[in-house]
Amino acid sequence: MIDDFEARGKRKKLVAGLRNKGITDEEVLRAIDRVPRHLFMDPAFLIHAYVDKAFPISSGQTISQPYTVAVQTSLLSVKKRDKILEIGTGSGYQAAILAEMGAKVYTIERFRELYLKAQQTLSALGYQADFFYGDGYEGKPQYGPFDGIIITAAIKEIPESLLKQLRTGGKLVAPVGGSDFQVMTLVRRDGEDSFTHTTHGTFVFVPMLKGTVNDN
Ligand code: SAH
Protein backbone atom coordinates (compact mmCIF):
# COMPACT_ATOMS: atom_id res chain seq x y z
CA MET A 1 0.00 0.00 0.00
CA ILE A 2 1.52 3.28 -1.00
CA ASP A 3 0.93 6.91 -0.42
CA ASP A 4 2.75 9.29 -2.75
CA PHE A 5 3.47 12.90 -3.54
CA GLU A 6 0.50 13.19 -5.91
CA ALA A 7 -1.99 11.80 -3.37
CA ARG A 8 -0.57 14.06 -0.65
CA GLY A 9 -0.99 17.08 -2.91
CA LYS A 10 -4.60 16.12 -3.63
CA ARG A 11 -5.29 15.79 0.09
CA LYS A 12 -3.99 19.33 0.71
CA LYS A 13 -6.52 20.59 -1.83
CA LEU A 14 -9.28 18.51 -0.25
CA VAL A 15 -8.47 20.02 3.17
CA ALA A 16 -8.49 23.54 1.70
CA GLY A 17 -11.93 22.77 0.21
CA LEU A 18 -13.21 21.55 3.58
CA ARG A 19 -12.01 24.79 5.21
CA ASN A 20 -13.97 26.72 2.58
CA LYS A 21 -17.05 24.66 3.46
CA GLY A 22 -16.75 25.77 7.08
CA ILE A 23 -14.77 23.00 8.81
CA THR A 24 -12.63 24.66 11.51
CA ASP A 25 -11.48 21.83 13.81
CA GLU A 26 -7.73 21.80 13.16
CA GLU A 27 -7.27 18.29 14.57
CA VAL A 28 -9.91 16.93 12.19
CA LEU A 29 -8.34 18.74 9.22
CA ARG A 30 -4.90 17.45 10.17
CA ALA A 31 -6.23 13.86 10.31
CA ILE A 32 -7.86 14.21 6.87
CA ASP A 33 -4.57 15.57 5.56
CA ARG A 34 -2.73 12.51 6.90
CA VAL A 35 -5.02 9.54 6.22
CA PRO A 36 -4.61 8.25 2.62
CA ARG A 37 -8.30 7.93 1.64
CA HIS A 38 -7.42 6.33 -1.70
CA LEU A 39 -6.17 3.24 0.11
CA PHE A 40 -9.68 2.64 1.50
CA MET A 41 -11.11 2.41 -2.01
CA ASP A 42 -10.66 0.11 -4.96
CA PRO A 43 -7.36 1.08 -6.68
CA ALA A 44 -9.30 1.55 -9.94
CA PHE A 45 -11.05 4.55 -8.42
CA LEU A 46 -7.98 6.51 -7.39
CA ILE A 47 -9.12 9.61 -9.26
CA HIS A 48 -12.28 9.71 -7.13
CA ALA A 49 -10.49 9.47 -3.79
CA TYR A 50 -9.85 13.17 -3.20
CA VAL A 51 -13.00 14.74 -4.51
CA ASP A 52 -15.45 15.64 -1.76
CA LYS A 53 -17.98 12.89 -2.55
CA ALA A 54 -19.20 9.61 -1.12
CA PHE A 55 -18.16 6.59 -3.20
CA PRO A 56 -19.29 2.93 -3.55
CA ILE A 57 -17.24 0.28 -1.72
CA SER A 58 -18.09 -3.46 -1.60
CA SER A 59 -21.29 -5.07 -0.22
CA GLY A 60 -23.36 -2.22 -1.75
CA GLN A 61 -22.15 0.28 0.86
CA THR A 62 -20.35 3.63 0.58
CA ILE A 63 -17.33 5.40 2.01
CA SER A 64 -18.72 8.65 3.46
CA GLN A 65 -18.05 12.00 1.83
CA PRO A 66 -15.00 13.70 3.43
CA TYR A 67 -17.17 16.70 4.39
CA THR A 68 -19.56 14.37 6.23
CA VAL A 69 -16.67 12.66 8.03
CA ALA A 70 -15.34 16.11 8.98
CA VAL A 71 -18.72 17.29 10.32
CA GLN A 72 -19.40 14.14 12.35
CA THR A 73 -15.87 14.03 13.76
CA SER A 74 -15.88 17.75 14.63
CA LEU A 75 -19.21 17.38 16.47
CA LEU A 76 -17.71 14.66 18.69
CA SER A 77 -14.89 17.02 19.83
CA VAL A 78 -12.43 14.11 19.94
CA LYS A 79 -9.50 14.34 22.33
CA LYS A 80 -6.48 12.04 22.57
CA ARG A 81 -7.25 8.78 24.39
CA ASP A 82 -11.02 9.30 24.12
CA LYS A 83 -12.88 6.01 23.85
CA ILE A 84 -15.01 6.17 20.71
CA LEU A 85 -17.53 3.60 19.45
CA GLU A 86 -18.32 3.65 15.73
CA ILE A 87 -21.34 1.87 14.30
CA GLY A 88 -20.86 1.16 10.58
CA THR A 89 -17.15 0.46 9.92
CA GLY A 90 -17.62 0.34 6.13
CA SER A 91 -14.22 0.99 4.53
CA GLY A 92 -12.62 1.83 7.88
CA TYR A 93 -11.80 5.39 6.77
CA GLN A 94 -13.73 7.09 9.58
CA ALA A 95 -12.15 4.70 12.10
CA ALA A 96 -8.69 5.62 10.75
CA ILE A 97 -9.45 9.34 11.12
CA LEU A 98 -10.39 8.75 14.77
CA ALA A 99 -7.29 6.61 15.36
CA GLU A 100 -5.08 9.28 13.72
CA MET A 101 -6.54 11.77 16.23
CA GLY A 102 -5.35 9.53 19.05
CA ALA A 103 -8.72 8.03 20.01
CA LYS A 104 -9.17 4.46 21.21
CA VAL A 105 -11.55 3.16 18.56
CA TYR A 106 -14.14 0.36 18.75
CA THR A 107 -15.99 -0.21 15.47
CA ILE A 108 -18.85 -2.53 14.48
CA GLU A 109 -19.86 -3.68 10.97
CA ARG A 110 -22.72 -5.98 9.92
CA PHE A 111 -21.13 -7.14 6.63
CA ARG A 112 -18.43 -9.73 7.24
CA GLU A 113 -16.53 -8.85 4.06
CA LEU A 114 -16.23 -5.17 5.01
CA TYR A 115 -15.31 -6.07 8.59
CA LEU A 116 -12.42 -8.22 7.32
CA LYS A 117 -11.24 -5.75 4.69
CA ALA A 118 -11.27 -2.70 6.95
CA GLN A 119 -9.17 -4.57 9.50
CA GLN A 120 -6.55 -5.33 6.84
CA THR A 121 -6.50 -1.75 5.60
CA LEU A 122 -6.03 -0.20 9.03
CA SER A 123 -3.36 -2.65 10.10
CA ALA A 124 -1.43 -2.14 6.83
CA LEU A 125 -1.46 1.60 7.58
CA GLY A 126 -0.37 1.06 11.18
CA TYR A 127 -3.62 2.21 12.81
CA GLN A 128 -4.93 0.43 15.87
CA ALA A 129 -8.68 -0.17 16.37
CA ASP A 130 -10.89 -2.91 17.82
CA PHE A 131 -13.12 -4.40 15.10
CA PHE A 132 -16.36 -6.27 15.67
CA TYR A 133 -18.55 -8.19 13.23
CA GLY A 134 -22.11 -7.78 14.44
CA ASP A 135 -25.27 -5.72 14.66
CA GLY A 136 -24.43 -2.29 16.05
CA TYR A 137 -27.88 -1.63 17.52
CA GLU A 138 -26.75 -3.11 20.81
CA GLY A 139 -23.49 -1.15 20.93
CA LYS A 140 -20.68 -2.59 23.07
CA PRO A 141 -21.74 -2.04 26.69
CA GLN A 142 -18.91 -4.24 27.98
CA TYR A 143 -16.34 -1.72 26.59
CA GLY A 144 -18.17 1.43 27.72
CA PRO A 145 -18.85 3.97 28.91
CA PHE A 146 -17.69 5.87 25.82
CA ASP A 147 -16.60 9.48 25.43
CA GLY A 148 -18.19 9.43 21.99
CA ILE A 149 -20.43 7.27 19.80
CA ILE A 150 -20.61 7.84 16.05
CA ILE A 151 -23.29 6.21 13.91
CA THR A 152 -22.39 6.31 10.21
CA ALA A 153 -25.64 4.87 8.80
CA ALA A 154 -29.11 6.44 8.66
CA ILE A 155 -31.16 5.62 11.75
CA LYS A 156 -34.87 6.32 12.32
CA GLU A 157 -34.38 7.02 16.01
CA ILE A 158 -31.47 6.78 18.39
CA PRO A 159 -31.78 3.68 20.61
CA GLU A 160 -31.77 4.42 24.32
CA SER A 161 -29.44 1.44 24.85
CA LEU A 162 -26.73 3.36 22.94
CA LEU A 163 -27.28 6.63 24.82
CA LYS A 164 -26.83 4.67 28.06
CA GLN A 165 -23.31 3.69 26.89
CA LEU A 166 -22.15 7.33 26.96
CA ARG A 167 -20.31 8.66 30.00
CA THR A 168 -21.73 11.81 31.56
CA GLY A 169 -20.50 14.60 29.29
CA GLY A 170 -20.11 12.14 26.40
CA LYS A 171 -21.56 12.79 22.94
CA LEU A 172 -23.34 10.70 20.32
CA VAL A 173 -23.58 11.85 16.71
CA ALA A 174 -25.98 10.23 14.23
CA PRO A 175 -27.84 10.98 11.00
CA VAL A 176 -31.49 10.63 12.06
CA GLY A 177 -34.32 10.24 9.57
CA GLY A 178 -35.90 8.17 6.78
CA SER A 179 -34.36 7.03 3.51
CA ASP A 180 -34.53 10.37 1.61
CA PHE A 181 -32.39 12.42 3.97
CA GLN A 182 -31.37 12.59 7.60
CA VAL A 183 -30.74 15.36 10.11
CA MET A 184 -27.30 15.26 11.73
CA THR A 185 -28.11 15.02 15.42
CA LEU A 186 -25.75 15.51 18.35
CA VAL A 187 -26.83 14.21 21.75
CA ARG A 188 -24.88 15.10 24.86
CA ARG A 189 -25.36 13.15 28.06
CA ASP A 190 -25.64 15.73 30.83
CA GLY A 191 -26.55 13.33 33.64
CA GLU A 192 -27.98 9.90 34.38
CA ASP A 193 -31.24 10.57 32.52
CA SER A 194 -30.61 13.98 31.06
CA PHE A 195 -29.66 14.51 27.41
CA THR A 196 -29.40 17.60 25.18
CA HIS A 197 -30.16 17.26 21.45
CA THR A 198 -28.94 19.69 18.79
CA THR A 199 -29.22 19.44 14.98
CA HIS A 200 -26.56 20.19 12.37
CA GLY A 201 -27.88 20.11 8.80
CA THR A 202 -29.14 17.42 6.44
CA PHE A 203 -27.18 14.53 4.94
CA VAL A 204 -27.83 11.30 3.01
CA PHE A 205 -26.50 7.98 4.37
CA VAL A 206 -27.08 4.29 3.56
CA PRO A 207 -29.58 2.81 6.04
CA MET A 208 -28.78 1.22 9.37
CA LEU A 209 -30.18 -2.33 9.12
CA LYS A 210 -30.68 -5.11 11.64
CA GLY A 211 -28.76 -8.40 11.72
CA THR A 212 -25.49 -9.44 10.06
CA VAL A 213 -24.52 -10.55 6.53
CA ASN A 214 -21.91 -13.29 6.15
CA ASP A 215 -20.84 -12.50 2.57
CA ASN A 216 -17.29 -13.77 2.81
N1 SAH B 1 -17.87 4.84 8.36
C1 SAH B 1 -17.83 4.25 7.03
C2 SAH B 1 -19.08 4.57 6.23
C3 SAH B 1 -19.79 3.33 5.98
S1 SAH B 1 -21.42 3.40 5.30
C4 SAH B 1 -16.56 4.62 6.28
O1 SAH B 1 -15.79 5.44 6.80
O2 SAH B 1 -16.31 4.08 5.20
C5 SAH B 1 -22.34 2.71 6.63
C6 SAH B 1 -21.96 1.33 7.09
O3 SAH B 1 -22.84 0.98 8.16
C7 SAH B 1 -22.11 0.23 6.04
O4 SAH B 1 -20.91 -0.45 5.89
C8 SAH B 1 -23.21 -0.66 6.63
O5 SAH B 1 -23.04 -2.03 6.32
C9 SAH B 1 -23.05 -0.40 8.12
N2 SAH B 1 -24.22 -0.75 8.94
C10 SAH B 1 -25.53 -0.57 8.65
N3 SAH B 1 -26.31 -1.04 9.65
C11 SAH B 1 -25.47 -1.53 10.61
C12 SAH B 1 -25.66 -2.16 11.89
N4 SAH B 1 -26.87 -2.40 12.39
N5 SAH B 1 -24.56 -2.52 12.58
C13 SAH B 1 -23.30 -2.31 12.09
N6 SAH B 1 -23.06 -1.73 10.89
C14 SAH B 1 -24.13 -1.35 10.15
Side-chain angles (χ1 to χ4, degrees):
M1 301 242 276
I2 49 151
D3 194 16
D4 60 20
F5 183 74
E6 190 191 347
R8 282 198 286 274
K10 286 184 173 158
R11 284 207 293 286
K12 297 257 176 272
K13 285 197 183 135
L14 175 65
V15 166
L18 294 174
R19 279 187 202 281
N20 285 337
K21 291 179 184 175
I23 303 299
T24 55
D25 185 322
E26 289 301 328
E27 291 303 309
V28 171
L29 292 166
R30 193 190 61 85
I32 291 173
D33 184 51
R34 298 197 56 159
V35 177
R37 188 171 184 259
H38 65 288
L39 300 178
F40 293 78
M41 296 164 55
D42 189 308
F45 300 128
L46 175 61
I47 55 160
H48 297 283
Y50 297 111
V51 289
D52 190 18
K53 285 192 177 146
F55 203 79
I57 51 175
S58 38
S59 306
Q61 303 305 308
T62 55
I63 178 170
S64 298
Q65 182 180 345
Y67 176 73
T68 305
V69 171
V71 168
Q72 285 200 286
T73 313
S74 301
L75 287 170
L76 278 183
S77 356
V78 180
K79 293 185 300 302
K80 279 197 174 54
R81 287 177 290 282
D82 272 0
K83 249 206 276 185
I84 309 279
L85 174 67
E86 178 190 29
I87 298 169
T89 312
S91 67
Y93 177 70
Q94 172 74 69
I97 293 287
L98 293 165
E100 174 64 45
M101 293 176 77
K104 169 104 190 72
V105 183
Y106 302 81
T107 182
I108 314 175
E109 173 56 54
R110 67 186 287 274
F111 279 100
R112 188 167 163 81
E113 184 180 343
L114 292 174
Y115 151 79
L116 293 170
K117 202 164 164 194
Q119 251 174 304
Q120 280 174 6
T121 308
L122 268 85
S123 85
L125 289 169
Y127 291 118
Q128 162 63 36
D130 283 6
F131 293 85
F132 301 92
Y133 167 53
D135 182 342
Y137 272 97
E138 302 300 321
K140 280 285 160 210
Q142 61 275 48
Y143 294 92
F146 297 99
D147 300 290
I149 300 178
I150 176 168
I151 303 179
T152 68
I155 191 162
K156 294 212 171 63
E157 55 182 325
I158 299 167
E160 199 163 315
S161 57
L162 290 179
L163 292 174
K164 293 282 185 197
Q165 292 172 41
L166 287 174
R167 70 162 170 83
T168 301
K171 293 172 174 177
L172 178 149
V173 65
V176 181
S179 53
D180 292 353
F181 68 90
Q182 302 89 39
V183 175
M184 193 59 77
T185 305
L186 182 69
V187 186
R188 205 184 93 111
R189 185 173 198 176
D190 301 315
E192 183 55 27
D193 286 310
S194 134
F195 297 91
T196 308
H197 287 64
T198 51
T199 58
H200 303 269
T202 57
F203 293 81
V204 181
F205 283 74
V206 295
M208 176 128 164
L209 299 169
K210 292 218 156 84
T212 54
V213 186
N214 193 344
D215 57 347
N216 187 282

